[in-house]
Amino acid sequence: MKLFSSIILSAISISPSGAATYYWTSGGDGASVYQEANWTENLDGSGGTIPVINGNTAVNHDLIVSAGNPGGGGGAGSTLDLGSGSLTINTGTFKMNVGNGAGINNADIFLNVGTVITEFVSGGSVTLAGGTLDLYEGDNPIDSATVNFTSGSTAVMIFRDETVLEVNSEHLAKIFVNGAAAVSSGAGQNVVVTANASGTVVMLGTTSPTTNDDDLDGLSNGAEAALNTNPNVRDSDGDGTPDGLEV
């Protein structure tokens, strides 16, 4: 397993040794994941561009998004294979074309802020500190991969085409909280699995997703699930205003 740490301070990131790092800087068309000019060695756009990046071909580099929205409105049209590399999202939306069935293979992903929209993640390990992991496949959206919520994570997972029962029975064993197995009910509960208009949502939590207001922000846990805000954080977007006063 590759060792990776991301420091969101002055946009400085540390990547695994032996892998080159490239930042999304929108130097090409500003949208195409598979256009080399959009990825450069330095966050300010200086340095060389990534040598080659194509769909269904191992990238073998560490990709970091600290600005912009890779994939644009339509999403990358074919599956991204990270190979021995990784993908870190510090802001924005990284979008695969789920209409084309495009997902992410060898998915060592670090989601700090922002959104990853993908048909599936396959292989590797997804680390969720914040943001939204949006999975569209209805068969096996977490395929031979694991997802780990960090301690205190504000992240949300959305299964677009899976029921609560299916998530609990088929996918919960692939989900962890700070390295411990995810538990959605009873003793040791550490996640909430509930349904809303988007699909089935998984987030950190320990009590009923419907009537309680764990973070005392004026919204019930159920209302927060429907709004995709965090039921354990009084101010989900960090703007200084409790969630209940923003709806």
Side-chain angles (χ1 to χ4, degrees), residues 112-206:
N112 296 311
V113 180
T115 300
V116 173
I117 298 173
T118 180
E119 186 79 355
F120 60 84
V121 291
S122 177
S125 177
V126 180
T127 301
L128 300 179
T132 301
L133 176 62
D134 202 345
L135 302 167
Y136 274 74
E137 185 174 293
D139 182 22
N140 197 8
I142 306 175
D143 182 9
S144 302
T146 59
V147 176
N148 185 61
F149 287 88
T150 61
S151 179
S153 172
T154 59
V156 174
M157 294 180 68
I158 303 175
F159 292 82
R160 293 282 179 168
D161 198 22
E162 300 280 271
T163 66
V164 170
L165 178 62
E166 288 168 335
V167 170
N168 276 312
S169 63
E170 299 173 16
H171 306 301
L172 198 63
K174 309 168 190 175
I175 301 173
F176 298 84
V177 177
N178 201 29
V183 179
S184 62
S185 63
Q189 182 183 3
N190 53 18
V191 297
V192 169
V193 181
T194 188
N196 68 15
S198 298
T200 297
V201 176
V202 180
M203 64 189 82
L204 293 191
T206 57

Side-chain angles (χ1 to χ4, degrees), residues 29-56:
D29 65 4
S32 301
V33 171
Y34 302 129
Q35 186 175 106
E36 286 79 4
N38 285 320
W39 301 95
T40 59
E41 291 178 316
N42 300 305
L43 184 58
D44 64 3
S46 63
T49 61
I50 194 170
V52 62
I53 182 168
N54 292 316
N56 297 304

